[in-house]
Amino acid sequence: MPRNAVIGVDIGTSSSKGVLVGLDGTLIRSAVREHRPARPGPGHFEMDASVWWREFIELARELTGPADTTVVAVGVSGMGPCVLLTDEHDTPLRPAILYGVDTRSVRQTERIEERLGAEEIIRRSGSALSTQAAGPKIAWIAEEEPELYARARRLHMPSSWLVRQLTGAYVLDHHSASRCTPLPGTAVAATPAPGRAGRHPLAPTARRTPGVRPAPRAGRTPGTST
């Protein structure tokens, strides 16, 4: 009789890792898929979101291949904060900009800090601005790729993208959300794209803002690995 188990997948910078674990915490098997970020320019580190989903599927198939378990839950995590912008249909508009290893937004970071004040940013966000922050990277897209940015409606990270593919839900866990210093509205308002003013596409609304979940469960998905 198959034993109940859970799958855990983590999307990292150089690989995606998966584990199949029994409900008693016993490791049943593990698997890895290696990958490399793209480096299209100096200080640029990017990754296509299709890599994350493809490798999730490959890992899930390998972990469950022997058919000796019944998967009762799936847990996902990932590197970050990353900036994956999608349109109104949740189609990625460009490769995701990775976390602090990508240093393209230094100029935006300095401008935002000068305008808002370092102490005020820490007071509101709980952390200082650095190349790790997602806000300046969103501002970089607004300035350097304004037509693309105008179509942006949602911000994803590796874990939220996997949840979206698995359940259809748009959620962002507290830890990932806490690393969006400052929040997109503040960052882009401080560095408006040329010729653009007023409300920007990523401004929070009831329709667009993701559910920031205090609990670990993001949703349900029927069936088996595909």
Side-chain angles (χ1 to χ4, degrees), residues 108-169:
Q108 287 76 16
T109 299
E110 294 173 348
R111 188 184 308 158
I112 294 169
E113 187 169 89
E114 180 180 355
R115 179 167 179 174
L116 301 180
E119 292 185 2
E120 181 65 10
I121 291 173
I122 292 175
R123 187 184 73 81
R124 292 191 177 209
S125 305
S127 60
L129 280 184
S130 70
T131 58
Q132 186 76 357
K137 290 172 181 172
I138 297 173
W140 183 92
I141 296 174
E143 292 183 30
E144 301 296 329
E145 301 171 349
E147 293 183 1
L148 181 150
Y149 176 76
R151 297 164 53 204
R153 292 297 180 270
R154 287 177 171 173
L155 166 67
H156 281 283
M157 297 190 191
S159 58
S160 68
W161 185 245
L162 293 184
V163 169
R164 178 65 171 171
Q165 304 311 301
L166 288 166
T167 71

Side-chain angles (χ1 to χ4, degrees), residues 39 64 116 203:
R39 302 185 65 175
T64 59
L116 301 180

Side-chain angles (χ1 to χ4, degrees), residues 72 163 166-169 217-222:
V72 297
V163 169
L166 288 166
T167 71
R217 189 179 70 183
R220 294 178 180 275
T221 183

Side-chain angles (χ1 to χ4, degrees), residues 14 34 38 50 65-66 70 83 89 100 115 129 134 145 155 182 203 213 221:
S14 59
E34 295 184 351
S50 64
T70 298
V83 174
H89 304 295
R115 179 167 179 174
L129 280 184
E145 301 171 349
L155 166 67
R213 301 295 180 91
T221 183

